[in-house]
């Protein structure tokens, strides 16, 4: 057996470098956080405003915007499409799309979503909105954006911000991971990946860099490789994204979350993928935004992932460095591994699993807000959910607690029989800024927890151990 080195194929991208003069107190107090207080119906093929906030700047500043939460069908669901609109324009936003047309009955289920944007804004008043529509390419439909979906507007998020964004849909991504005798990729082996973008911080000494990535992927082609994936066509399977350093052969679980979404008839054929990373970068090293496929060569599976897909335009990675407060909470320190799981719920008494309905803390971090700091900090939580084909199903949840109180958005993924094994990614976030449902953190120590929970009938529904928490001021 020979194992190929990771594939590096360039995609069309737009790169933006922004150097801003963030103050020593962290992000500006002009930052705002808001979230939905009730579920909101979206029934139009034109964009409608779901959440909106305004900021007034006395001088030009950079603004990072994160929108995430949950959505679910409201009758005839077809193709939800969400994004971030800044002063009437969606140009800076990644796009969150779920395509349920052509899926099997019952496959349209509650799902997390995520969108990100960065833009330099001039002095004056600016309006930032989370907007949603039923994509006109699939016709009219009905869905709801769930309560606690949130919009974080972070003004002066870091002294240095790098953005890599796809200017057009990528080429076909069709990779061989199990074609014996020549190519058999197993857990722990370097994976073939396609590089969508690179952010290279200009640093003279080892420097921590926080990154967010978000975008969309869709079934677009037939695989060129023999397909032995059970129950799959020649185009369907699990897309997988992650971040890695240019001098590394792998995505390291302590430095990046994986994002996976099953692109097939039993889930979504066009889906939103998203994640985060926290890397220490030395001079000349880049952070790579990479896309590939889930490898089915663990201790149980052994077959080719037949997925053949493209990554949509405006998918992007935003990297930030030079912050006063930043960090992460890794719980696993392996690389090239996507089968590192922790059970979060069983209704069948599975050994080592908590009973459904119990809160499971995935990560805990104590952060210190020094005297004189303004208390504006952004928190990002991510994980991937994995069920079993035998599960009757239910809902899985992800959320943040700060000092024991649930804060921010609420990620939900519903799993239904017999598609419970379809993997998806969960998200939750919070910006401790001024807002109707938020507040700046007071000086002192604060305990931050990433919490998961399952409700329903599950054998041993689990989440991944790759990087669950990233934060920065």
């Amino acid at each position: 057996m020979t194992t190929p080195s990771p594939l590096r194929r360039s995609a069309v991208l737009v790169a933006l470098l922004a150097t801003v003069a963030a103050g020593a107190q962290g992000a500006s107090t002009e930052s705002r956080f808001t979230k939905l207080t009730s579920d909101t119906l979206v029934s139009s093929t034109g964009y409608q405003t779901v959440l909106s906030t305004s900021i007034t700047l006395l001088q030009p500043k950079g603004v990072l915007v994160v929108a995430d939460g949950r959505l679910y069908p409201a009758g005839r669901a077809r193709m939800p499409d969400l994004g971030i609109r800044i002063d009437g324009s969606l140009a800076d936003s990644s796009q969150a799309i779920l395509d349920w047309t052509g899926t099997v009955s019952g496959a349209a289920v509650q799902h997390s979503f995520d969108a990100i944007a960065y833009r330099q804004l001039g002095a004056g008043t600016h309006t930032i909105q989370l907007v949603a529509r039923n994509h006109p390419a699939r016709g009219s439909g009905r869905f709801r954006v769930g309560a606690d979906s949130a919009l974080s507007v972070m003004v002066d998020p870091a002294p240095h911000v790098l953005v890599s964004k796809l200017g057009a849909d990528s080429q076909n991504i069709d990779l061989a991971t199990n074609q014996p005798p020549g190519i058999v990729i197993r857990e722990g082996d370097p994976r073939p990946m396609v590089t969508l973008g690179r952010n290279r911080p200009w640093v003279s000494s080892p420097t921590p860099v926080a990154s967010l990535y978000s975008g969309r992927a869709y079934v677009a082609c037939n695989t060129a490789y023999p397909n032995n994936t059970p129950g799959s066509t020649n185009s369907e399977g699990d897309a997988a994204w992650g971040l890695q350093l240019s001098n590394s052969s792998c995505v390291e679980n302590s430095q990046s979350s994986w994002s996976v979404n099953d692109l097939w008839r039993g889930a979504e054929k066009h889906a939103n993928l998203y994640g985060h990373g926290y890397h220490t970068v030395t001079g000349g090293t880049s952070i790579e935004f990479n896309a590939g496929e889930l490898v089915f060569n663990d201790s149980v599976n052994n077959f080719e992932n037949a997925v053949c897909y493209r990554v949509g335009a405006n998918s992007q990675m935003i990297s930030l460095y030079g912050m006063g407060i930043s960090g992460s909470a890794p719980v696993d320190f392996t690389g090239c591994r996507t089968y590192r799981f922790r059970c979060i719920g069983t209704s069948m008494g599975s050994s080592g699993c908590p009973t459904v309905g119990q809160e499971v803390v995935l990560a805990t971090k104590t952060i210190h807000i020094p005297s004189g700091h303004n208390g504006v900090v952004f928190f990002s939580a991510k994980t991937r959910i994995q069920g079993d084909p035998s599960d009757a199903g239910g809902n899985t949840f992800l959320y943040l607690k700060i000092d024991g109180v649930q804060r921010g958005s609420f990620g939900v993924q519903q799993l239904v029989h017999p598609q419970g094994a379809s993997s998806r990614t969960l998200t939750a976030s919070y910006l401790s800024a001024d807002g109707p449902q938020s507040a700046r953190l007071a000086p002192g120590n604060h305990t931050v927890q990433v919490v998961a929970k399952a409700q329903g009938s599950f054998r041993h529904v689990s989440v991944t151990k790759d990087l669950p928490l990233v934060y920065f001021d």
Side-chain angles (χ1 to χ4, degrees):
M1 181 198 79
T2 59
T3 300
S5 60
L7 184 63
R8 295 285 179 264
R9 297 190 297 202
S10 296
V12 179
L13 62 89
V14 176
L16 168 67
L17 167 63
T19 301
V20 296
Q25 305 304 310
S28 171
T29 55
E30 297 156 316
S31 303
R32 293 291 182 270
F33 176 83
T34 186
K35 65 179 183 177
L36 281 177
T37 56
S38 61
D39 296 359
T40 297
L41 178 67
V42 179
S43 57
S44 170
T45 56
Y47 283 113
Q48 69 181 69
T49 301
V50 176
L51 275 170
S52 182
T53 191
S54 294
I55 56 173
T56 299
L57 306 180
L58 298 180
Q59 61 188 32
K61 293 183 179 180
V63 177
L64 172 70
V65 186
V66 178
D68 66 1
R70 60 192 180 92
L71 58 86
Y72 62 93
R76 185 171 178 260
R78 299 188 65 78
M79 194 171 182
D81 175 13
L82 300 91
I84 295 164
R85 190 161 61 190
I86 302 175
D87 292 338
S89 173
L90 285 156
D92 301 290
S93 177
S94 64
Q95 197 172 10
I97 287 181
L98 298 175
D99 189 359
W100 287 315
T101 61
T103 58
V104 298
S105 176
V109 294
Q110 187 159 202
H111 199 291
S112 283
F113 73 87
D114 175 278
I116 60 176
Y118 180 82
R119 184 171 169 182
Q120 289 272 23
L121 296 177
T125 300
H126 303 275
T127 301
I128 296 96
Q129 300 166 317
L130 168 63
V131 296
R133 66 175 179 174
N134 293 273
H135 198 290
R138 293 291 186 264
S140 60
R142 292 168 59 89
F143 68 95
R144 284 187 168 88
V145 181
D148 289 323
S149 296
L151 184 66
S152 296
V153 180
M154 196 173 190
V155 180
D156 267 359
H160 308 284
V161 180
L162 296 161
V163 180
S164 292
K165 181 168 60 176
L166 287 174
D169 290 5
S170 75
Q171 63 186 299
N172 291 346
I173 298 176
D174 183 22
L175 306 174
T177 57
N178 186 40
Q179 294 297 316
I183 300 171
V184 179
I185 309 297
R186 294 188 172 90
E187 276 284 85
D189 290 342
R191 282 98 190 281
M193 302 285 279
V194 174
T195 298
L196 303 173
R198 293 180 178 90
N199 284 341
R200 182 182 177 182
W202 296 96
V203 296
S204 58
S205 60
T207 301
V209 180
S211 300
L212 306 174
Y213 67 88
S214 185
R216 58 190 177 89
Y218 61 94
V219 172
C221 44
N222 288 324
T223 182
Y225 306 104
N227 171 24
N228 61 354
T229 308
S232 175
T233 69
N234 286 329
S235 61
E236 299 172 337
D238 292 80
W241 297 2
L243 304 179
Q244 69 186 70
L245 294 176
S246 56
N247 59 0
S248 170
S249 63
C250 292
V251 173
E252 301 286 341
N253 284 353
S254 62
Q255 300 174 0
S256 173
S257 63
W258 287 94
S259 183
V260 174
N261 204 103
D262 198 355
L263 303 177
W264 82 295
R265 293 158 293 162
E268 298 84 28
K269 300 184 77 171
H270 193 147
N272 187 197
L273 285 89
Y274 40 81
H276 57 211
Y278 192 78
H279 299 83
T280 298
V281 176
T282 56
T285 304
S286 299
I287 300 169
E288 297 183 344
F289 174 23
N290 290 333
E293 61 185 43
L294 196 61
V295 174
F296 293 127
N297 288 290
D298 64 340
S299 59
V300 177
N301 303 300
N302 186 31
F303 48 83
E304 177 69 30
N305 189 336
V307 69
C308 191
Y309 71 99
R310 292 186 178 183
V311 176
N314 294 322
S315 297
Q316 59 188 281
M317 168 178 58
I318 302 174
S319 299
L320 310 97
Y321 63 105
M323 298 81 71
I325 295 175
S326 69
S328 63
V331 294
D332 182 74
F333 295 86
T334 60
C336 300
R337 295 180 184 271
T338 51
Y339 288 93
R340 305 286 287 178
F341 290 113
R342 176 178 181 175
C343 185
I344 63 166
T346 180
S347 57
M348 305 174 187
S350 296
S351 176
C353 290
T355 303
V356 292
Q358 294 184 31
E359 289 189 330
V360 178
V361 177
L362 306 183
T364 301
K365 186 81 173 187
T366 298
I367 69 166
H368 179 73
I369 304 298
S371 177
H373 192 281
N374 62 27
V376 179
V377 183
F378 178 74
F379 300 91
S380 172
K382 301 286 189 288
T383 195
R384 173 164 57 93
I385 197 75
Q386 184 66 60
D388 188 88
S390 65
D391 290 339
N395 289 317
T396 56
F397 306 88
L398 183 73
Y399 48 98
L400 285 155
K401 281 188 169 183
I402 299 181
D403 298 330
V405 179
Q406 192 269 319
R407 298 289 189 185
S409 64
F410 207 80
V412 180
Q413 179 62 56
Q414 183 183 3
L415 299 176
V416 295
H417 183 77
Q419 286 90 36
S422 288
S423 186
R424 271 71 147 240
T425 306
L426 286 168
T427 178
S429 66
Y430 177 61
L431 178 64
S432 59
D434 294 337
Q437 305 98 359
S438 58
R440 288 184 262 160
L441 295 177
N445 291 335
H446 298 272
T447 301
V448 182
Q449 295 174 306
V450 179
V451 182
K453 185 168 65 175
Q455 291 181 336
S457 178
F458 296 104
R459 182 182 175 191
H460 44 45
V461 66
S462 300
V463 299
T464 51
K465 291 184 178 180
D466 42 87
L467 189 62
L469 175 68
V470 170
Y471 61 91
F472 52 88
D473 69 352

